[in-house]
């Protein structure tokens, strides 16, 4: 069987994938969601000329002489309670940060440059230019301005801006539902007692965390035994729940107990491809079961997570209308690498800044069962099929994982 190149596999997985329909949610529930439409301001901010400092609202031409000027205080303007009158010649209004600047005033004399002469008068000890310490109406945005673009992932600043623009509800893209099935009689959940021939299941938690980070909802269908009926029942649960993506973990290779692929075919899955030209992660499977996309990841922990970075992340991102661009960078090898075979290699590495750019140090042991090295890695060195041996100091490409 000819192995499918990685780039072509990704193209097939993403072919025809469209963003899920949008939904309106309260702004309190919008953190981490992606805007389905551009967001326009429903009001102007600030809605009036506002003072940026505590002090006095005055006319600039009244305080331009080089000597101290005596001004009469005719009122007060506070946030939420403006001065209703007009500032005339030789007058001042006590003003506080955020308060509306009264009509007639065109600058703010900060309180450090004013000396009180009793309840009704101050002495201005410094000249002030027109417009000083005044935030003009609409400085931040004006009604009708687009303040956030479609596709923006909302964080604290975006949420705050949306609220300031007057929005109590936001239109966001739907969150893909990713169902996860881990298969294997050898697996037990963390915290459970392992038999002498069993191991703790880790893949589902890692894959679920990765999908959540891309905005997905997770349907954990647990550990399924190596039994065709049990696997078929779990697949039906995923389909009945309306999962957009079904991720199976393990059981898709060529062994007599690798039953996942056949169970999915029996359920009606149209198989697009099986096995790709990459290391780790060769036994990757992709197909469709109705509207549900099926991604069969290897059972090997490192292979599974590397494949999820390369294929599941962009799939979930596209369903959720998120921008996803692999973070590929140039680096220099710290150690030599041998020639590569017909598969694209993804080598776990530590990448750090050097005097002339990034330095990539591959871990000496690349066994695909070792989660310790993947957890310690912040990048994968990408080597193309047939790449010749590379000496230390030669250039390479790295895919950043952070």
């Amino acid at each position: 069987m000819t192995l499918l190149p990685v780039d072509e596999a990704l193209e097939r997985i993403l072919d025809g994938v469209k963003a899920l329909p949008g939904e309106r949610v309260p702004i309190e529930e919008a953190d981490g969601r992606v805007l389905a439409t551009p967001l326009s301001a429903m009001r102007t901010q600030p809605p009036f000329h506002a003072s940026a400092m505590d002090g006095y609202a005055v006319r600039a031409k009244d305080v331009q002489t080089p000597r101290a000027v005596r001004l009469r205080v005719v009122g007060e303007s506070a946030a939420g309670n403006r001065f209703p009158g007009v500032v005339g010649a030789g007058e001042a209004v006590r003003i506080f940060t955020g308060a509306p600047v009264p009509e007639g005033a065109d600058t703010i004399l900060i309180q450090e440059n004013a000396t009180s002469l009793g309840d009704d008068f101050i002495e201005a000890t410094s000249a002030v230019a027109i417009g000083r310490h005044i935030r003009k109406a609409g400085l931040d945005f004006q009604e009708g301005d687009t303040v956030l673009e479609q596709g923006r992932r909302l964080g604290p600043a975006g949420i705050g801006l949306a609220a300031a623009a007057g929005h109590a509800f936001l239109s966001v893209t739907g969150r893909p539902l990713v169902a996860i099935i881990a298969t294997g009689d050898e697996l037990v959940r963390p915290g459970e007692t392992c038999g002498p021939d069993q191991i703790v299941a880790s893949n589902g938690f890692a894959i679920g965390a990765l999908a959540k980070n891309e905005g997905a909802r997770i349907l954990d269908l647990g550990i399924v035994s190596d039994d065709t009926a049990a696997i078929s029942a779990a697949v039906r649960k995923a389909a009945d729940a309306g999962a957009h993506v079904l991720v199976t973990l393990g059981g898709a290779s060529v062994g007599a107990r690798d039953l996942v692929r056949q169970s999915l075919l029996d359920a009606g899955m149209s198989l697009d491809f099986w096995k790709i030209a990459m290391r780790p992660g060769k036994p990757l499977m992709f197909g469709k079961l109705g509207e549900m996309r099926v991604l069969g990841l290897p059972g090997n922990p490192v292979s599974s997570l590397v494949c999820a970075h390369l294929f599941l992340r962009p799939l979930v991102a596209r369903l959720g209308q998120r921008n996803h661009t692999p973070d590929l960078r140039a680096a220099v090898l710290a150690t030599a690498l041998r020639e590569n075979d017909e598969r694209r290699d993804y080598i776990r590495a530590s990448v750090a800044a050097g005097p002339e750019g990034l330095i990539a140090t591959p871990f000496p042991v690349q066994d695909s069962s070792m989660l310790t090295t993947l957890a310690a890695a912040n990048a994968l060195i990408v080597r193309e099929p047939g790449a010749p041996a590379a000496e230390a100091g030669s250039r390479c490409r790295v895919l950043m994982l952070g």
Side-chain angles (χ1 to χ4, degrees):
M1 176 184 291
T2 302
L3 299 179
L4 188 68
V6 172
D7 294 339
E8 185 177 342
L10 181 59
E11 286 180 8
R12 291 196 194 181
I13 290 172
L14 297 182
D15 182 47
V17 177
K18 295 181 180 179
L20 300 177
E23 58 182 353
R24 279 175 60 80
V25 300
I27 194 169
E28 297 90 345
E29 299 174 11
D31 184 38
R33 303 296 296 272
V34 175
L35 280 176
T37 58
L39 195 71
S40 297
M42 301 173 67
R43 59 187 299 277
T44 295
Q45 178 74 5
F48 44 75
H49 298 326
S51 178
M53 302 287 285
D54 290 343
Y56 296 88
V58 300
R59 303 191 320 165
K61 61 184 178 181
D62 287 343
V63 291
Q64 293 306 306
T65 60
R67 56 182 174 77
V69 176
R70 189 169 180 264
L71 301 172
R72 183 164 67 94
V73 180
V74 296
E76 180 179 284
S77 184
N81 189 14
R82 71 172 61 223
F83 174 72
V86 178
V87 177
E91 294 180 339
V93 167
R94 182 74 168 109
I95 197 167
F96 300 95
T97 303
V101 176
E103 186 179 347
D106 57 13
T107 194
I108 303 299
L109 174 72
I110 62 174
Q111 62 186 26
E112 291 89 342
N113 294 332
T115 301
S116 175
L117 300 177
D119 292 338
D120 296 330
F121 290 92
I122 60 167
E123 187 175 71
T125 59
S126 176
V128 189
I130 291 177
R132 188 75 170 128
H133 306 304
I134 292 178
R135 297 183 179 124
K136 291 187 176 182
L139 173 67
D140 199 356
F141 52 81
Q142 297 187 17
E143 183 177 352
D145 286 351
T146 298
V147 293
L148 292 170
E149 298 290 344
Q150 178 181 347
R152 166 73 176 261
R153 182 177 179 178
L154 294 166
I159 293 288
L161 178 54
H167 292 271
F169 291 84
L170 299 175
S171 178
V172 295
T173 56
R175 297 178 64 199
L177 178 61
V178 175
I180 301 175
I181 300 173
T183 63
D185 292 337
E186 76 279 14
L187 301 177
V188 298
R189 289 181 61 84
E192 294 180 354
T193 301
C194 280
D197 301 321
Q198 292 183 304
I199 59 173
V200 176
S202 62
N203 290 6
F205 302 100
I207 301 305
L210 179 144
K212 279 184 180 179
N213 285 341
E214 287 297 335
R217 296 171 291 139
I218 304 301
L219 174 60
D220 184 358
L221 294 172
I223 298 170
V224 179
S225 62
D226 291 319
D227 175 80
T228 301
I231 296 170
S232 298
V235 171
R236 284 195 299 273
K237 287 181 181 179
D240 291 344
H244 302 99
V245 181
L246 169 62
V247 176
T248 63
L249 302 170
S253 191
V254 295
R257 297 178 67 82
D258 291 325
L259 306 174
V260 171
R261 184 165 61 100
Q262 190 58 51
S263 297
L264 286 162
L265 290 171
D266 292 343
M269 180 188 75
S270 59
L271 179 64
D272 191 309
F273 64 80
W274 173 51
K275 294 187 177 181
I276 56 177
M278 66 176 286
R279 181 190 299 107
K282 174 184 173 184
L284 180 85
M285 176 181 65
F286 173 67
K288 295 178 184 176
L289 184 55
E291 295 298 315
M292 182 170 66
R293 285 169 166 76
V294 180
L295 198 59
L297 301 182
N300 189 294
V302 172
S303 301
S304 176
L305 199 49
V306 169
C307 286
H309 273 289
L310 297 176
F311 304 109
L312 181 60
R313 283 187 67 189
L315 174 58
V316 172
R318 183 164 294 188
L319 285 166
Q321 201 175 341
R322 294 180 177 225
N323 295 322
H324 175 77
T325 303
D327 188 3
L328 286 164
R329 306 185 193 182
V332 173
L333 285 172
T335 60
L337 293 174
R338 64 185 182 185
E339 64 183 11
N340 197 17
D341 60 14
E342 75 278 5
R343 289 189 278 170
R344 181 184 285 177
D345 252 350
Y346 291 90
I347 301 170
R348 283 156 282 168
S350 173
V351 171
E356 298 181 1
L358 297 178
I359 306 295
T361 305
F363 289 98
V365 180
Q366 291 287 321
D367 190 287
S368 58
S369 68
M370 295 177 60
L371 279 171
T372 49
T373 51
L374 185 58
N378 62 351
L380 300 171
I381 298 172
V382 183
R383 302 201 74 219
E384 296 302 323
E391 298 179 353
S394 61
R395 306 291 290 181
C396 66
R397 283 195 310 156
V398 294
L399 173 64
M400 302 302 295
L401 297 177

